[in-house]
């Protein structure tokens, strides 16, 4: 039995993977190390490499190979690999090169100007650039929609979460929108009666860095195949063989860099444990952005918000910064699960976070479907923040619709993945608790190995072998079920009074 067309495709994808490796390292270097004067030459080099990758992905012989491979005797994993190859090809050929070039130019211009317009609260200056970015995104969405036979916003969602549709997102977000504001009020009221002791800084950067690395090691991050560095916006980059995490340090607040690192370590372990024997093939890649976020949030929220994690952390903090009353495990856990409505998404706790996501989902859907204009965004934003979190954002564009980099850089359809990821993370822990009833006792003792073993078996080692639906079914016995997220929040934040 021979599979010549499939073999040729596999060889081409391995080659692409190597170019992507180089591209990812250059992006990491740009964010972490690059001196300012290197930026123009780097942008040119990246554009050249991206164009080359685009030519590889759209190489004409691929089309007939993809059809021929469909009739070859493939095993299940090869068939899954072929399904992913077809998707990559379809996305690469969907947009004319002229549109891709216009998109890249408009989003670089908008994002670049946004970097100074945001601190200046300059919505009027931002609007014309943003209108252009939005117009191009609508055209992109329409073209993808025509090919996929779906609505424009569905097509944008599908870029990040294959198979997910607007109706699916609504089905989980609409009930959430109904019960979340009440839950937030109850939790804030409950917590106002639980005083906390604030840690006293400063917390030297060198001690914070050592602490972050110790915690990453505790979480099983493999330092022989990855690193931790500093960048303005934390991210996980590199490639599965060499994973690059970043964080940022604030001498007055060690918890935000530490928990940011725990979040990225979840992304990092997923990448480091993708199936090795398929490495370089699409079937070995992470399943989707919601599944990726389910891993970072399983680490940061499910595990990081557990009393067992605070207890394990407490002695490490005393070693890093000297003993403090604030590092007592109970106090530490209260600090790490503090709920407070705020204007900024990236600083939000796990209870208020979905409100930020629902707001963005509703607005970006209306923008892409042509039901709202760029100029309508501040008013929609203010109304949503008022209903969801009881906050007023009138005139405050900086901490309102201008706070995120996503829209200025042309990313529409990504935001829902954060909350879908939080829901999947709650679902994974519910399944894990069901399978291992002594889970909480183990976590209380600082033993996290059961969590890592489960994630490895059910998620990491599966790569893109299954669709997201099948992956969820196999891992937890059901497709996405938001009831687990609600149960998790109520159990953690509103337990029956002791
Ligand atoms: Zn993340």
């Amino acid at each position: 039995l021979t599979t010549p067309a499939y073999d040729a495709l596999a060889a081409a994808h391995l080659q692409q993977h190597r170019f992507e490796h180089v591209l990812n390292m250059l992006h990491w270097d740009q964010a972490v190390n690059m001196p300012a004067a290197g930026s123009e030459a780097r942008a040119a080099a990246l554009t050249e490499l991206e164009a080359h990758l685009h030519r590889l992905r759209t190489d004409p012989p691929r089309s007939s190979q993809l059809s021929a491979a469909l009739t070859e005797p493939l095993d299940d994993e090869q068939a899954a690999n072929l399904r992913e190859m077809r998707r990559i090809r379809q996305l690469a050929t969907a947009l004319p090169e002229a549109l891709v070039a216009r998109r890249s130019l408009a989003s670089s211009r908008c994002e670049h100007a946004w970097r100074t317009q945001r601190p200046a609260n300059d919505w009027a200056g931002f609007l014309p650039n943003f209108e252009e970015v939005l117009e191009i995104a609508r055209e992109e969405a329409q073209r993808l929609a025509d090919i996929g036979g779906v609505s424009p916003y569905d097509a944008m969602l599908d870029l990040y979460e294959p198979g997910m549709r607007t109706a699916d997102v609504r089905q989980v977000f609409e009930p959430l929108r109904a019960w979340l504001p009440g839950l937030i009020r109850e939790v804030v009221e409950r917590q106002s009666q639980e005083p906390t002791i604030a840690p006293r800084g400063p917390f030297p950067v060198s001690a914070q860095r050592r602490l972050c690395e110790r915690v990453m090691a505790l979480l099983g991050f493999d330092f022989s195949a990855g690193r931790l560095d500093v960048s303005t916006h934390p991210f996980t980059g590199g490639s599965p063989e060499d994973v690059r995490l970043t964080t940022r340090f604030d001498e007055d607040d060690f918890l935000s860099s530490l928990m940011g690192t725990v979040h990225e370590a979840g992304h990092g372990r997923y990448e480091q444990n993708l199936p090795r024997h398929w490495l370089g093939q699409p079937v070995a890649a992470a399943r989707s952005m919601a599944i990726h976020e389910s891993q970072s949030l399983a680490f940061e929220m499910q595990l990081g918000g557990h009393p067992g994690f605070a207890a394990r952390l407490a002695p490490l903090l005393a070693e890093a910064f000297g003993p403090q009353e604030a590092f007592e495990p109970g106090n530490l856990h209260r600090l790490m699960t503090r709920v407070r409505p705020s204007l900024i998404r990236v600083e939000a706790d796990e209870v208020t976070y979905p409100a930020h996501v629902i707001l963005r989902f509703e607005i970006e859907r209306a923008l892409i479907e042509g039901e709202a204009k760029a100029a309508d965004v501040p008013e929609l934003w203010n109304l949503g923040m008022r209903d969801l979190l009881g906050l007023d954002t009138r005139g405050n564009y900086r901490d309102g619709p201008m706070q995120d980099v996503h829209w200025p850089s042309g990313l529409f359809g990504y935001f829902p993945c954060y909350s879908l990821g939080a829901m999947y993370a709650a679902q994974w822990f519910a399944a894990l608790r069901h399978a291992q009833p002594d889970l909480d006792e183990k976590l209380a003792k600082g033993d996290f190995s059961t969590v890592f073993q489960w994630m490895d078996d059910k998620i990491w080692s599966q790569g893109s072998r299954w669709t997201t639906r099948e992956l969820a079914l196999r891992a937890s016995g059901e497709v996405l079920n938001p009831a687990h997220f609600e149960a998790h929040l109520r159990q953690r934040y509103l337990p029956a009074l002791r």
Side-chain angles (χ1 to χ4, degrees), residues 324-367:
Q324 287 195 24
E325 245 185 306
F327 300 159
E328 182 272 318
N331 185 67
L332 193 56
H333 180 247
R334 283 193 295 281
L335 285 171
M336 292 169 81
T337 49
R338 189 47 79 193
V339 174
R340 194 175 302 141
S342 70
L343 294 172
I344 306 293
R345 174 185 62 87
V346 295
E347 289 162 11
D349 55 80
E350 71 174 324
V351 182
T352 56
Y353 198 103
H356 294 269
V357 170
I358 292 169
L359 171 78
R360 286 157 178 77
F361 161 68
E362 288 173 354
I363 296 176
E364 69 177 13
R365 192 205 60 78
L367 290 172

Side-chain angles (χ1 to χ4, degrees), residues 444-462:
K445 288 186 205 135
D447 175 2
F448 310 144
S449 59
T450 320
V451 176
F452 306 146
Q453 190 58 54
W454 192 93
M455 293 300 170
D456 192 20
D457 285 351
K458 308 287 187 186
I459 311 289
W460 303 339
S461 65
Q462 303 304 305

Side-chain angles (χ1 to χ4, degrees), residues 72-127:
E72 291 179 345
L74 305 180
D75 65 29
D76 288 352
E77 283 177 281
Q78 290 171 320
N81 200 26
L82 184 63
R83 179 195 68 215
E84 296 301 312
M85 288 171 173
R86 296 177 70 82
R87 174 176 157 80
I88 291 168
R89 165 85 183 181
Q90 193 186 50
L91 292 177
T93 51
L95 305 179
E97 268 191 65
L99 180 64
V100 175
R102 263 173 67 217
R103 182 181 63 182
S104 148
L105 208 65
S107 59
S108 323
R109 180 165 44 221
C110 185
E111 190 197 320
H112 186 77
W114 166 82
R115 292 192 183 280
T116 48
Q117 287 162 344
R118 185 194 167 201
N121 200 34
D122 181 10
W123 173 260
F126 174 70
L127 186 57

